[in-house]
Amino acid sequence: MPRQPRTKPVSAAQVRSYAAKAAEFAEAAASDLAAGRNIAATSLAIHAGINAADAVCGARVGRRASGADHDQVLVLLGEAGPDGAEIVRDLRRLLPLKTTAEYDPDDIAPAVAAKAVERAQRCSTIA
């Protein structure tokens, strides 16, 4: 059983801010994908998903995950109802790409980047 995540309270204003950041990251990810910048597109898509998760968790349970392990948000999303369950499906696919996109020297395949952007856009729409 996953341990309970560390959390921080989220105000209504912060929910709106996280949702706006998710939308901005998703839009920038789509733009970078169109320009062939697959690493940037994937990284931005991941950040869109994380911010969307924070918005949904804030709106539905009044708090967001605050631990260093991004996977902890998946536990909290489980408490966020149907919106949380929808984001979990996409975020589970986005989070494993974080290390490759942001720290490893490897490239990101165009198809992988395109799927990441698609997932980020779904998360952003939910938020």
Side-chain angles (χ1 to χ4, degrees):
M1 169 179 258
R3 64 186 177 103
Q4 284 295 321
R6 289 182 27 214
T7 63
K8 287 188 177 180
V10 176
S11 69
Q14 289 171 318
V15 167
R16 289 187 297 275
S17 178
Y18 287 127
K21 286 173 73 172
E24 185 173 328
F25 278 129
E27 185 178 315
S31 177
D32 276 353
L33 181 66
R37 293 186 295 268
N38 298 326
I39 294 170
T42 303
S43 182
L44 290 164
I46 294 160
H47 289 285
I50 291 168
N51 276 277
D54 288 345
V56 168
C57 287
R60 301 289 185 244
V61 296
R63 52 199 165 89
R64 67 168 181 85
S66 65
D69 180 1
H70 287 298
D71 286 339
Q72 289 184 4
V73 73
L74 301 174
V75 174
L76 194 57
L77 282 165
E79 299 175 28
D83 290 337
E86 283 189 52
I87 288 183
V88 162
R89 281 192 289 274
D90 287 316
L91 200 56
R92 277 191 196 281
R93 303 287 185 132
L94 288 168
L95 290 175
L97 298 172
K98 190 171 187 341
T99 298
T100 302
E102 297 183 1
Y103 307 110
D104 289 350
D106 302 327
D107 287 334
I108 302 286
V112 171
K115 277 307 245 186
V117 170
E118 179 183 313
R119 289 181 175 108
Q121 289 170 328
R122 279 195 301 264
C123 290
S124 175
T125 298
I126 293 165

PDB file of all heavy atoms in Angstrom, residues 51-89:
ATOM      1  N   ASN A  51       0.806  20.219 -12.809  1.00  0.00           N
ATOM      2  CA  ASN A  51      -0.002  21.370 -12.395  1.00  0.00           C
ATOM      3  C   ASN A  51      -1.492  21.073 -12.485  1.00  0.00           C
ATOM      4  O   ASN A  51      -2.272  21.526 -11.645  1.00  0.00           O
ATOM      5  CB  ASN A  51       0.373  22.601 -13.224  1.00  0.00           C
ATOM      6  CG  ASN A  51       1.578  23.290 -12.637  1.00  0.00           C
ATOM      7  OD1 ASN A  51       1.468  24.063 -11.713  1.00  0.00           O
ATOM      8  ND2 ASN A  51       2.749  22.987 -13.181  1.00  0.00           N
ATOM      9  N   ALA A  52      -1.904  20.308 -13.486  1.00  0.00           N
ATOM     10  CA  ALA A  52      -3.310  19.907 -13.583  1.00  0.00           C
ATOM     11  C   ALA A  52      -3.702  19.058 -12.373  1.00  0.00           C
ATOM     12  O   ALA A  52      -4.782  19.241 -11.799  1.00  0.00           O
ATOM     13  CB  ALA A  52      -3.552  19.143 -14.882  1.00  0.00           C
ATOM     14  N   ALA A  53      -2.814  18.156 -11.985  1.00  0.00           N
ATOM     15  CA  ALA A  53      -3.072  17.324 -10.809  1.00  0.00           C
ATOM     16  C   ALA A  53      -3.200  18.187  -9.554  1.00  0.00           C
ATOM     17  O   ALA A  53      -4.098  17.965  -8.728  1.00  0.00           O
ATOM     18  CB  ALA A  53      -1.960  16.295 -10.634  1.00  0.00           C
ATOM     19  N   ASP A  54      -2.330  19.178  -9.408  1.00  0.00           N
ATOM     20  CA  ASP A  54      -2.410  20.067  -8.248  1.00  0.00           C
ATOM     21  C   ASP A  54      -3.719  20.848  -8.247  1.00  0.00           C
ATOM     22  O   ASP A  54      -4.341  21.045  -7.195  1.00  0.00           O
ATOM     23  CB  ASP A  54      -1.219  21.017  -8.218  1.00  0.00           C
ATOM     24  CG  ASP A  54       0.081  20.325  -7.837  1.00  0.00           C
ATOM     25  OD1 ASP A  54       0.043  19.185  -7.326  1.00  0.00           O
ATOM     26  OD2 ASP A  54       1.153  20.932  -8.054  1.00  0.00           O
ATOM     27  N   ALA A  55      -4.167  21.281  -9.425  1.00  0.00           N
ATOM     28  CA  ALA A  55      -5.430  22.011  -9.513  1.00  0.00           C
ATOM     29  C   ALA A  55      -6.606  21.126  -9.115  1.00  0.00           C
ATOM     30  O   ALA A  55      -7.473  21.540  -8.332  1.00  0.00           O
ATOM     31  CB  ALA A  55      -5.631  22.544 -10.934  1.00  0.00           C
ATOM     32  N   VAL A  56      -6.640  19.909  -9.639  1.00  0.00           N
ATOM     33  CA  VAL A  56      -7.751  19.005  -9.342  1.00  0.00           C
ATOM     34  C   VAL A  56      -7.733  18.588  -7.873  1.00  0.00           C
ATOM     35  O   VAL A  56      -8.771  18.582  -7.211  1.00  0.00           O
ATOM     36  CB  VAL A  56      -7.744  17.793 -10.289  1.00  0.00           C
ATOM     37  CG1 VAL A  56      -8.704  16.702  -9.825  1.00  0.00           C
ATOM     38  CG2 VAL A  56      -8.099  18.243 -11.697  1.00  0.00           C
ATOM     39  N   CYS A  57      -6.563  18.261  -7.358  1.00  0.00           N
ATOM     40  CA  CYS A  57      -6.474  17.898  -5.939  1.00  0.00           C
ATOM     41  C   CYS A  57      -6.895  19.073  -5.056  1.00  0.00           C
ATOM     42  O   CYS A  57      -7.629  18.899  -4.086  1.00  0.00           O
ATOM     43  CB  CYS A  57      -5.055  17.446  -5.581  1.00  0.00           C
ATOM     44  SG  CYS A  57      -4.631  15.819  -6.221  1.00  0.00           S
ATOM     45  N   GLY A  58      -6.436  20.257  -5.409  1.00  0.00           N
ATOM     46  CA  GLY A  58      -6.818  21.441  -4.641  1.00  0.00           C
ATOM     47  C   GLY A  58      -8.314  21.677  -4.671  1.00  0.00           C
ATOM     48  O   GLY A  58      -8.933  21.991  -3.641  1.00  0.00           O
ATOM     49  N   ALA A  59      -8.916  21.532  -5.847  1.00  0.00           N
ATOM     50  CA  ALA A  59     -10.354  21.770  -5.987  1.00  0.00           C
ATOM     51  C   ALA A  59     -11.186  20.697  -5.297  1.00  0.00           C
ATOM     52  O   ALA A  59     -12.228  20.993  -4.710  1.00  0.00           O
ATOM     53  CB  ALA A  59     -10.720  21.852  -7.468  1.00  0.00           C
ATOM     54  N   ARG A  60     -10.748  19.455  -5.385  1.00  0.00           N
ATOM     55  CA  ARG A  60     -11.558  18.336  -4.892  1.00  0.00           C
ATOM     56  C   ARG A  60     -11.282  17.947  -3.438  1.00  0.00           C
ATOM     57  O   ARG A  60     -12.177  17.493  -2.752  1.00  0.00           O
ATOM     58  CB  ARG A  60     -11.374  17.106  -5.779  1.00  0.00           C
ATOM     59  CG  ARG A  60     -11.758  17.322  -7.222  1.00  0.00           C
ATOM     60  CD  ARG A  60     -13.264  17.449  -7.370  1.00  0.00           C
ATOM     61  NE  ARG A  60     -13.625  17.542  -8.769  1.00  0.00           N
ATOM     62  CZ  ARG A  60     -14.196  18.608  -9.317  1.00  0.00           C
ATOM     63  NH1 ARG A  60     -14.485  19.654  -8.587  1.00  0.00           N
ATOM     64  NH2 ARG A  60     -14.494  18.610 -10.597  1.00  0.00           N
ATOM     65  N   VAL A  61     -10.011  18.086  -2.987  1.00  0.00           N
ATOM     66  CA  VAL A  61      -9.696  17.673  -1.612  1.00  0.00           C
ATOM     67  C   VAL A  61      -9.062  18.786  -0.786  1.00  0.00           C
ATOM     68  O   VAL A  61      -8.731  18.582   0.374  1.00  0.00           O
ATOM     69  CB  VAL A  61      -8.818  16.389  -1.576  1.00  0.00           C
ATOM     70  CG1 VAL A  61      -9.558  15.211  -2.153  1.00  0.00           C
ATOM     71  CG2 VAL A  61      -7.507  16.578  -2.273  1.00  0.00           C
ATOM     72  N   GLY A  62      -8.848  19.951  -1.399  1.00  0.00           N
ATOM     73  CA  GLY A  62      -8.357  21.109  -0.653  1.00  0.00           C
ATOM     74  C   GLY A  62      -6.875  21.101  -0.347  1.00  0.00           C
ATOM     75  O   GLY A  62      -6.391  21.918   0.422  1.00  0.00           O
ATOM     76  N   ARG A  63      -6.139  20.183  -0.963  1.00  0.00           N
ATOM     77  CA  ARG A  63      -4.694  20.132  -0.739  1.00  0.00           C
ATOM     78  C   ARG A  63      -4.016  19.518  -1.952  1.00  0.00           C
ATOM     79  O   ARG A  63      -4.663  18.924  -2.805  1.00  0.00           O
ATOM     80  CB  ARG A  63      -4.358  19.365   0.534  1.00  0.00           C
ATOM     81  CG  ARG A  63      -4.970  18.017   0.639  1.00  0.00           C
ATOM     82  CD  ARG A  63      -4.980  17.511   2.099  1.00  0.00           C
ATOM     83  NE  ARG A  63      -5.882  16.394   2.228  1.00  0.00           N
ATOM     84  CZ  ARG A  63      -5.567  15.125   2.052  1.00  0.00           C
ATOM     85  NH1 ARG A  63      -4.328  14.781   1.773  1.00  0.00           N
ATOM     86  NH2 ARG A  63      -6.457  14.181   2.180  1.00  0.00           N
ATOM     87  N   ARG A  64      -2.702  19.684  -2.007  1.00  0.00           N
ATOM     88  CA  ARG A  64      -1.899  19.118  -3.086  1.00  0.00           C
ATOM     89  C   ARG A  64      -0.727  18.368  -2.477  1.00  0.00           C
ATOM     90  O   ARG A  64      -0.328  18.630  -1.333  1.00  0.00           O
ATOM     91  CB  ARG A  64      -1.382  20.199  -4.030  1.00  0.00           C
ATOM     92  CG  ARG A  64      -0.364  21.133  -3.392  1.00  0.00           C
ATOM     93  CD  ARG A  64       0.330  22.002  -4.427  1.00  0.00           C
ATOM     94  NE  ARG A  64       1.318  22.872  -3.823  1.00  0.00           N
ATOM     95  CZ  ARG A  64       2.578  22.538  -3.547  1.00  0.00           C
ATOM     96  NH1 ARG A  64       3.025  21.327  -3.812  1.00  0.00           N
ATOM     97  NH2 ARG A  64       3.408  23.402  -3.006  1.00  0.00           N
ATOM     98  N   ALA A  65      -0.171  17.439  -3.224  1.00  0.00           N
ATOM     99  CA  ALA A  65       1.007  16.701  -2.758  1.00  0.00           C
ATOM    100  C   ALA A  65       2.189  17.659  -2.724  1.00  0.00           C
ATOM    101  O   ALA A  65       2.346  18.500  -3.616  1.00  0.00           O
ATOM    102  CB  ALA A  65       1.297  15.521  -3.676  1.00  0.00           C
ATOM    103  N   SER A  66       3.024  17.544  -1.701  1.00  0.00           N
ATOM    104  CA  SER A  66       4.163  18.462  -1.578  1.00  0.00           C
ATOM    105  C   SER A  66       5.489  17.748  -1.356  1.00  0.00           C
ATOM    106  O   SER A  66       6.501  18.393  -1.111  1.00  0.00           O
ATOM    107  CB  SER A  66       3.924  19.451  -0.429  1.00  0.00           C
ATOM    108  OG  SER A  66       3.891  18.769   0.808  1.00  0.00           O
ATOM    109  N   GLY A  67       5.496  16.443  -1.473  1.00  0.00           N
ATOM    110  CA  GLY A  67       6.735  15.698  -1.294  1.00  0.00           C
ATOM    111  C   GLY A  67       7.615  15.769  -2.524  1.00  0.00           C
ATOM    112  O   GLY A  67       7.186  16.184  -3.604  1.00  0.00           O
ATOM    113  N   ALA A  68       8.855  15.366  -2.377  1.00  0.00           N
ATOM    114  CA  ALA A  68       9.812  15.383  -3.486  1.00  0.00           C
ATOM    115  C   ALA A  68       9.488  14.321  -4.529  1.00  0.00           C
ATOM    116  O   ALA A  68       9.857  14.454  -5.688  1.00  0.00           O
ATOM    117  CB  ALA A  68      11.229  15.171  -2.955  1.00  0.00           C
ATOM    118  N   ASP A  69       8.769  13.286  -4.138  1.00  0.00           N
ATOM    119  CA  ASP A  69       8.410  12.200  -5.050  1.00  0.00           C
ATOM    120  C   ASP A  69       7.101  12.551  -5.756  1.00  0.00           C
ATOM    121  O   ASP A  69       6.034  12.555  -5.142  1.00  0.00           O
ATOM    122  CB  ASP A  69       8.256  10.902  -4.251  1.00  0.00           C
ATOM    123  CG  ASP A  69       7.888   9.710  -5.105  1.00  0.00           C
ATOM    124  OD1 ASP A  69       7.759   9.849  -6.335  1.00  0.00           O
ATOM    125  OD2 ASP A  69       7.717   8.619  -4.517  1.00  0.00           O
ATOM    126  N   HIS A  70       7.181  12.841  -7.042  1.00  0.00           N
ATOM    127  CA  HIS A  70       5.990  13.229  -7.793  1.00  0.00           C
ATOM    128  C   HIS A  70       4.946  12.123  -7.846  1.00  0.00           C
ATOM    129  O   HIS A  70       3.762  12.398  -8.042  1.00  0.00           O
ATOM    130  CB  HIS A  70       6.362  13.665  -9.216  1.00  0.00           C
ATOM    131  CG  HIS A  70       7.030  14.987  -9.278  1.00  0.00           C
ATOM    132  ND1 HIS A  70       6.426  16.154  -8.876  1.00  0.00           N
ATOM    133  CD2 HIS A  70       8.270  15.337  -9.688  1.00  0.00           C
ATOM    134  CE1 HIS A  70       7.246  17.162  -9.049  1.00  0.00           C
ATOM    135  NE2 HIS A  70       8.388  16.693  -9.525  1.00  0.00           N
ATOM    136  N   ASP A  71       5.346  10.874  -7.668  1.00  0.00           N
ATOM    137  CA  ASP A  71       4.394   9.770  -7.689  1.00  0.00           C
ATOM    138  C   ASP A  71       3.402   9.846  -6.533  1.00  0.00           C
ATOM    139  O   ASP A  71       2.326   9.256  -6.599  1.00  0.00           O
ATOM    140  CB  ASP A  71       5.112   8.424  -7.661  1.00  0.00           C
ATOM    141  CG  ASP A  71       5.773   8.087  -8.984  1.00  0.00           C
ATOM    142  OD1 ASP A  71       5.364   8.652 -10.018  1.00  0.00           O
ATOM    143  OD2 ASP A  71       6.698   7.260  -8.979  1.00  0.00           O
ATOM    144  N   GLN A  72       3.723  10.590  -5.476  1.00  0.00           N
ATOM    145  CA  GLN A  72       2.815  10.698  -4.341  1.00  0.00           C
ATOM    146  C   GLN A  72       1.503  11.379  -4.718  1.00  0.00           C
ATOM    147  O   GLN A  72       0.472  11.147  -4.098  1.00  0.00           O
ATOM    148  CB  GLN A  72       3.482  11.428  -3.180  1.00  0.00           C
ATOM    149  CG  GLN A  72       4.548  10.606  -2.511  1.00  0.00           C
ATOM    150  CD  GLN A  72       5.130  11.290  -1.295  1.00  0.00           C
ATOM    151  OE1 GLN A  72       4.685  12.352  -0.892  1.00  0.00           O
ATOM    152  NE2 GLN A  72       6.121  10.666  -0.703  1.00  0.00           N
ATOM    153  N   VAL A  73       1.535  12.195  -5.757  1.00  0.00           N
ATOM    154  CA  VAL A  73       0.303  12.858  -6.170  1.00  0.00           C
ATOM    155  C   VAL A  73      -0.717  11.839  -6.665  1.00  0.00           C
ATOM    156  O   VAL A  73      -1.925  12.067  -6.580  1.00  0.00           O
ATOM    157  CB  VAL A  73       0.572  13.947  -7.236  1.00  0.00           C
ATOM    158  CG1 VAL A  73       0.905  13.335  -8.590  1.00  0.00           C
ATOM    159  CG2 VAL A  73      -0.627  14.871  -7.366  1.00  0.00           C
ATOM    160  N   LEU A  74      -0.266  10.696  -7.140  1.00  0.00           N
ATOM    161  CA  LEU A  74      -1.184   9.668  -7.627  1.00  0.00           C
ATOM    162  C   LEU A  74      -2.085   9.167  -6.501  1.00  0.00           C
ATOM    163  O   LEU A  74      -3.268   8.893  -6.727  1.00  0.00           O
ATOM    164  CB  LEU A  74      -0.403   8.516  -8.261  1.00  0.00           C
ATOM    165  CG  LEU A  74       0.497   8.901  -9.440  1.00  0.00           C
ATOM    166  CD1 LEU A  74       1.329   7.703  -9.887  1.00  0.00           C
ATOM    167  CD2 LEU A  74      -0.295   9.489 -10.590  1.00  0.00           C
ATOM    168  N   VAL A  75      -1.548   9.072  -5.289  1.00  0.00           N
ATOM    169  CA  VAL A  75      -2.330   8.652  -4.130  1.00  0.00           C
ATOM    170  C   VAL A  75      -3.400   9.696  -3.830  1.00  0.00           C
ATOM    171  O   VAL A  75      -4.575   9.375  -3.654  1.00  0.00           O
ATOM    172  CB  VAL A  75      -1.427   8.438  -2.895  1.00  0.00           C
ATOM    173  CG1 VAL A  75      -2.248   8.138  -1.654  1.00  0.00           C
ATOM    174  CG2 VAL A  75      -0.414   7.333  -3.157  1.00  0.00           C
ATOM    175  N   LEU A  76      -3.005  10.945  -3.821  1.00  0.00           N
ATOM    176  CA  LEU A  76      -3.940  12.029  -3.516  1.00  0.00           C
ATOM    177  C   LEU A  76      -5.013  12.154  -4.603  1.00  0.00           C
ATOM    178  O   LEU A  76      -6.179  12.411  -4.304  1.00  0.00           O
ATOM    179  CB  LEU A  76      -3.173  13.344  -3.359  1.00  0.00           C
ATOM    180  CG  LEU A  76      -3.922  14.503  -2.734  1.00  0.00           C
ATOM    181  CD1 LEU A  76      -4.454  14.141  -1.351  1.00  0.00           C
ATOM    182  CD2 LEU A  76      -3.005  15.709  -2.626  1.00  0.00           C
ATOM    183  N   LEU A  77      -4.641  11.943  -5.846  1.00  0.00           N
ATOM    184  CA  LEU A  77      -5.625  11.988  -6.931  1.00  0.00           C
ATOM    185  C   LEU A  77      -6.699  10.924  -6.745  1.00  0.00           C
ATOM    186  O   LEU A  77      -7.836  11.095  -7.195  1.00  0.00           O
ATOM    187  CB  LEU A  77      -4.942  11.820  -8.290  1.00  0.00           C
ATOM    188  CG  LEU A  77      -4.250  13.055  -8.832  1.00  0.00           C
ATOM    189  CD1 LEU A  77      -3.311  12.675  -9.978  1.00  0.00           C
ATOM    190  CD2 LEU A  77      -5.255  14.109  -9.274  1.00  0.00           C
ATOM    191  N   GLY A  78      -6.355   9.838  -6.072  1.00  0.00           N
ATOM    192  CA  GLY A  78      -7.339   8.794  -5.777  1.00  0.00           C
ATOM    193  C   GLY A  78      -8.465   9.283  -4.902  1.00  0.00           C
ATOM    194  O   GLY A  78      -9.552   8.701  -4.887  1.00  0.00           O
ATOM    195  N   GLU A  79      -8.239  10.365  -4.173  1.00  0.00           N
ATOM    196  CA  GLU A  79      -9.271  10.949  -3.316  1.00  0.00           C
ATOM    197  C   GLU A  79     -10.062  12.035  -4.049  1.00  0.00           C
ATOM    198  O   GLU A  79     -11.005  12.589  -3.489  1.00  0.00           O
ATOM    199  CB  GLU A  79      -8.617  11.583  -2.075  1.00  0.00           C
ATOM    200  CG  GLU A  79      -7.845  10.623  -1.204  1.00  0.00           C
ATOM    201  CD  GLU A  79      -7.119  11.342  -0.074  1.00  0.00           C
ATOM    202  OE1 GLU A  79      -7.583  12.420   0.359  1.00  0.00           O
ATOM    203  OE2 GLU A  79      -6.084  10.829   0.375  1.00  0.00           O
ATOM    204  N   ALA A  80      -9.680  12.335  -5.274  1.00  0.00           N
ATOM    205  CA  ALA A  80     -10.251  13.486  -5.991  1.00  0.00           C
ATOM    206  C   ALA A  80     -11.380  13.115  -6.947  1.00  0.00           C
ATOM    207  O   ALA A  80     -11.690  13.879  -7.858  1.00  0.00           O
ATOM    208  CB  ALA A  80      -9.138  14.222  -6.732  1.00  0.00           C
ATOM    209  N   GLY A  81     -11.986  11.961  -6.773  1.00  0.00           N
ATOM    210  CA  GLY A  81     -13.146  11.586  -7.567  1.00  0.00           C
ATOM    211  C   GLY A  81     -12.820  11.270  -9.017  1.00  0.00           C
ATOM    212  O   GLY A  81     -11.670  10.976  -9.362  1.00  0.00           O
ATOM    213  N   PRO A  82     -13.839  11.350  -9.880  1.00  0.00           N
ATOM    214  CA  PRO A  82     -13.657  10.986 -11.292  1.00  0.00           C
ATOM    215  C   PRO A  82     -12.602  11.838 -12.011  1.00  0.00           C
ATOM    216  O   PRO A  82     -11.866  11.313 -12.849  1.00  0.00           O
ATOM    217  CB  PRO A  82     -15.041  11.203 -11.910  1.00  0.00           C
ATOM    218  CG  PRO A  82     -15.989  11.157 -10.766  1.00  0.00           C
ATOM    219  CD  PRO A  82     -15.232  11.649  -9.577  1.00  0.00           C
ATOM    220  N   ASP A  83     -12.532  13.126 -11.703  1.00  0.00           N
ATOM    221  CA  ASP A  83     -11.506  13.971 -12.327  1.00  0.00           C
ATOM    222  C   ASP A  83     -10.111  13.482 -11.953  1.00  0.00           C
ATOM    223  O   ASP A  83      -9.211  13.414 -12.794  1.00  0.00           O
ATOM    224  CB  ASP A  83     -11.659  15.436 -11.919  1.00  0.00           C
ATOM    225  CG  ASP A  83     -12.891  16.087 -12.508  1.00  0.00           C
ATOM    226  OD1 ASP A  83     -13.397  15.608 -13.539  1.00  0.00           O
ATOM    227  OD2 ASP A  83     -13.352  17.100 -11.936  1.00  0.00           O
ATOM    228  N   GLY A  84      -9.936  13.138 -10.695  1.00  0.00           N
ATOM    229  CA  GLY A  84      -8.646  12.616 -10.251  1.00  0.00           C
ATOM    230  C   GLY A  84      -8.301  11.314 -10.940  1.00  0.00           C
ATOM    231  O   GLY A  84      -7.167  11.101 -11.369  1.00  0.00           O
ATOM    232  N   ALA A  85      -9.290  10.437 -11.086  1.00  0.00           N
ATOM    233  CA  ALA A  85      -9.051   9.145 -11.747  1.00  0.00           C
ATOM    234  C   ALA A  85      -8.654   9.337 -13.210  1.00  0.00           C
ATOM    235  O   ALA A  85      -7.783   8.624 -13.724  1.00  0.00           O
ATOM    236  CB  ALA A  85     -10.303   8.276 -11.652  1.00  0.00           C
ATOM    237  N   GLU A  86      -9.264  10.311 -13.874  1.00  0.00           N
ATOM    238  CA  GLU A  86      -8.905  10.569 -15.274  1.00  0.00           C
ATOM    239  C   GLU A  86      -7.475  11.082 -15.389  1.00  0.00           C
ATOM    240  O   GLU A  86      -6.729  10.661 -16.272  1.00  0.00           O
ATOM    241  CB  GLU A  86      -9.873  11.577 -15.895  1.00  0.00           C
ATOM    242  CG  GLU A  86     -11.214  10.966 -16.262  1.00  0.00           C
ATOM    243  CD  GLU A  86     -12.049  11.916 -17.069  1.00  0.00           C
ATOM    244  OE1 GLU A  86     -11.545  12.428 -18.085  1.00  0.00           O
ATOM    245  OE2 GLU A  86     -13.199  12.147 -16.670  1.00  0.00           O
ATOM    246  N   ILE A  87      -7.092  11.975 -14.495  1.00  0.00           N
ATOM    247  CA  ILE A  87      -5.727  12.514 -14.549  1.00  0.00           C
ATOM    248  C   ILE A  87      -4.708  11.439 -14.206  1.00  0.00           C
ATOM    249  O   ILE A  87      -3.634  11.382 -14.804  1.00  0.00           O
ATOM    250  CB  ILE A  87      -5.583  13.762 -13.663  1.00  0.00           C
ATOM    251  CG1 ILE A  87      -6.333  14.924 -14.327  1.00  0.00           C
ATOM    252  CG2 ILE A  87      -4.116  14.128 -13.452  1.00  0.00           C
ATOM    253  CD1 ILE A  87      -6.242  16.242 -13.627  1.00  0.00           C
ATOM    254  N   VAL A  88      -5.030  10.571 -13.263  1.00  0.00           N
ATOM    255  CA  VAL A  88      -4.103   9.490 -12.887  1.00  0.00           C
ATOM    256  C   VAL A  88      -3.710   8.673 -14.110  1.00  0.00           C
ATOM    257  O   VAL A  88      -2.536   8.338 -14.292  1.00  0.00           O
ATOM    258  CB  VAL A  88      -4.708   8.575 -11.791  1.00  0.00           C
ATOM    259  CG1 VAL A  88      -3.975   7.243 -11.722  1.00  0.00           C
ATOM    260  CG2 VAL A  88      -4.651   9.255 -10.441  1.00  0.00           C
ATOM    261  N   ARG A  89      -4.680   8.351 -14.964  1.00  0.00           N
ATOM    262  CA  ARG A  89      -4.378   7.526 -16.144  1.00  0.00           C
ATOM    263  C   ARG A  89      -3.285   8.162 -17.002  1.00  0.00           C
ATOM    264  O   ARG A  89      -2.385   7.481 -17.482  1.00  0.00           O
ATOM    265  CB  ARG A  89      -5.640   7.311 -16.977  1.00  0.00           C
ATOM    266  CG  ARG A  89      -6.547   6.241 -16.421  1.00  0.00           C
ATOM    267  CD  ARG A  89      -7.640   5.845 -17.394  1.00  0.00           C
ATOM    268  NE  ARG A  89      -8.655   6.863 -17.559  1.00  0.00           N
ATOM    269  CZ  ARG A  89      -9.716   7.001 -16.769  1.00  0.00           C
ATOM    270  NH1 ARG A  89      -9.882   6.184 -15.761  1.00  0.00           N
ATOM    271  NH2 ARG A  89     -10.597   7.943 -16.992  1.00  0.00           N
TER     272      ARG A  89
END
